[in-house]
Amino acid sequence: MGAAAGRRGLVVAWAVALAASALAAVPATARTRTQTGTGTGTAARDGAHAGAGYTAGSLRRDLAAVRTAGGGQVNLVARLDRAGQDPLVVRSGSALPRDPEFRVASTTKTFTAVVVLQLAAEKRLSLDDTVAHWLPGVVAGNGNDGGRITLRDLLRQTSGLFDYVADPEVQDKLVGHFEENRYDDTPAADLVAIAMRHAPLFTPGDGPRRWAYSNTNYLVAAMIAEKATGQSWRELVEHRVIAPLGLRHTYIPGANPFLVGPHVPVTIDGPDGRRVDLTEESFQHTADSGVVSTPSDLNAFFRALATGRLLPAAQWREMRETVPYDDLPVPPAGRQGGYGLGIRVVPLTCGGVYYMHEGDGWGVYGRPAVSADGRRAVTVSITTTTALIDQERVDRAVESLTDHALCGRSA
């Protein structure tokens, strides 16, 4: 379901409850010339072409810090791509795939936002259009007013709509009865209807602009894109993003619970010592969370975005117009970033900014980021093995790794 409301920790809270429940009893090939290594071994040599002081050894050390922050109970793969140089790949174990597929969760929102902005550039919709204009009666009741929420509000998380993930019945369904609902494929419209049972957190235009993360926003945005084009969200992303960029290991499985390529199992240990496998599930099938990808493909996607291959200049500029957020740690640069239209803009210690969007799923956490000029991109994939992570600690460690990698210098 992607990042949860507020601190994005709701998914983690779910999985904690899952581990404590009776459910605990329920039983790619890397690019050629890619340099690889493990977090604890010496198989990878430092790259002769790493450049600017950041080598495979630097990446190994930074990834080891992420593993420590995760309590050592995680599998990790990090990939750094740099213009004109060989990529660096470091893994926490030599048995892990070099380019594993994983559910990117809320990083899906960047894909969805790109599609909406492409449609805006084509004048097939406007970011100033209200929800009620395209979807009359869908956002209504309990104080919800689609006539006061624009498409821009949805993409920038300033709509105030309740996050359907936080609904008590949804939590009970997915936490208290996970095994029965592992293959749940509730349609997006029904999930939005669940959110409409709740009053909004705020209404745009009432006082100062406010921000609150809600997965519901991206379901509604995708429904508008579908209404404007007559195509499904899945078709729009496949035809407008995945195929044009040649992302061979990126796909949208929909309700299919299986990953088709090399991947890392997602597991946690239950209170009785039995392992709970979270790998196969259909929950993440909608426009807020439904993409599967790999570190190499995510780097390619974000580099294409930063270098203007996906959006005209006007829409790319609008995508980077941000409002403050408060759900991630302050990065090493010492000041918080902002949330744009499906991306976060984060300051670097070496000056400038980078663009990213985290993804937090069921024991899987993805952290892709790209420098503003698109020359460097780094993705960290984190998968649980026995226990869930302290997300704030891990986020801080990943922020340091990202800053070092994109600035091209070791700690």
Side-chain angles (χ1 to χ4, degrees):
M1 300 274 179
R7 173 60 190 88
R8 303 166 18 261
L10 187 53
V11 169
V12 172
W14 282 4
V16 170
L18 169 62
S21 73
L23 298 176
V26 177
T29 303
R31 185 184 306 181
T32 58
R33 299 179 65 202
T34 296
Q35 301 170 38
T36 65
T38 67
T40 57
T42 57
R45 62 181 179 84
D46 286 359
H49 304 289
Y54 198 81
T55 67
S58 306
L59 185 57
R60 258 198 317 275
R61 287 189 292 274
D62 281 341
L63 198 66
V66 176
R67 192 164 191 262
T68 297
Q73 302 176 95
V74 289
N75 287 314
L76 303 169
V77 178
R79 178 180 174 115
L80 171 63
D81 284 285
R82 303 148 302 161
Q85 301 177 46
D86 292 339
L88 301 179
V89 177
V90 173
R91 298 165 289 161
S92 61
S94 59
L96 299 178
R98 291 189 175 94
D99 197 31
E101 292 182 357
F102 63 97
R103 303 179 198 279
V104 306
S106 278
T107 304
T108 297
K109 292 177 173 66
T110 309
F111 287 78
T112 300
V114 165
V115 166
V116 173
L117 285 162
Q118 288 178 348
L119 296 175
E122 297 164 11
K123 309 298 185 185
R124 302 181 72 173
L125 49 74
S126 168
L127 296 180
D128 294 319
D129 289 342
T130 66
V131 173
H133 171 77
W134 286 102
L135 305 172
V138 170
V139 173
N142 293 309
N144 294 288
D145 185 354
R148 300 181 65 180
I149 298 171
T150 66
L151 195 46
R152 182 181 289 101
D153 287 321
L154 297 174
L155 297 182
R156 196 172 287 157
Q157 307 279 15
T158 54
S159 75
L161 291 179
F162 182 84
D163 190 345
Y164 74 91
V165 173
D167 178 81
E169 291 185 15
V170 172
Q171 292 187 51
D172 180 66
K173 182 179 181 181
L174 303 185
V175 177
H177 303 89
F178 176 83
E179 190 60 29
E180 301 98 304
N181 295 287
R182 178 187 291 272
Y183 306 116
D184 184 276
D185 62 350
T186 301
D190 292 351
L191 297 174
V192 172
I194 289 172
M196 294 305 103
R197 300 174 187 167
H198 302 268
L201 303 181
F202 55 85
T203 302
D206 288 348
R209 178 186 289 168
R210 299 172 63 187
W211 184 91
Y213 197 101
S214 173
N215 290 284
T216 307
N217 287 327
Y218 276 74
L219 302 189
V220 178
M223 290 168 65
I224 291 174
E226 291 175 336
K227 188 75 173 289
T229 63
Q231 295 180 282
S232 70
W233 162 76
R234 179 177 180 173
E235 292 172 322
L236 289 168
V237 174
E238 289 173 343
H239 297 164
R240 289 173 169 270
V241 180
I242 296 174
L245 294 182
L247 303 179
R248 295 186 301 142
H249 304 289
T250 301
Y251 56 97
I252 301 171
N256 186 336
F258 304 107
L259 302 182
V260 301
H263 60 277
V264 182
V266 185
T267 59
I268 57 174
D269 287 345
D272 60 358
R274 294 195 182 188
R275 182 157 295 185
V276 182
D277 193 319
L278 306 176
T279 312
E280 295 175 7
E281 51 93 351
S282 301
F283 299 134
Q284 295 170 213
H285 65 279
T286 46
D288 57 333
S289 61
V291 170
V292 169
S293 192
T294 66
S296 64
D297 272 9
L298 286 176
N299 283 355
F301 168 64
F302 276 92
R303 290 182 74 184
L305 182 60
T307 54
R309 292 180 58 195
L310 285 171
L311 293 173
Q315 281 67 41
W316 174 225
R317 184 167 51 251
E318 185 140 30
M319 192 178 198
R320 292 173 289 160
E321 294 178 1
T322 66
V323 295
Y325 62 77
D326 58 5
D327 63 335
L328 288 176
V330 176
R335 61 188 188 283
Q336 193 58 280
Y339 198 97
L341 305 182
I343 60 169
R344 296 184 193 260
V345 181
V346 185
L348 286 163
T349 58
C350 54
V353 299
Y354 66 90
Y355 312 120
M356 63 86 70
H357 201 300
E358 76 294 340
D360 298 322
W362 298 90
V364 183
Y365 313 89
R367 296 293 183 272
V370 64
S371 59
D373 60 8
R375 294 183 60 81
R376 286 178 170 252
V378 63
T379 292
V380 180
S381 170
I382 306 166
T383 307
T384 60
T385 59
T386 60
L388 294 161
I389 64 172
D390 181 328
Q391 263 185 257
E392 184 165 351
R393 286 189 63 200
V394 170
D395 280 337
R396 291 185 186 280
V398 174
E399 285 180 340
S400 293
L401 181 154
T402 301
D403 192 85
H404 298 158
L406 298 184
C407 285
R409 63 191 185 196
S410 299

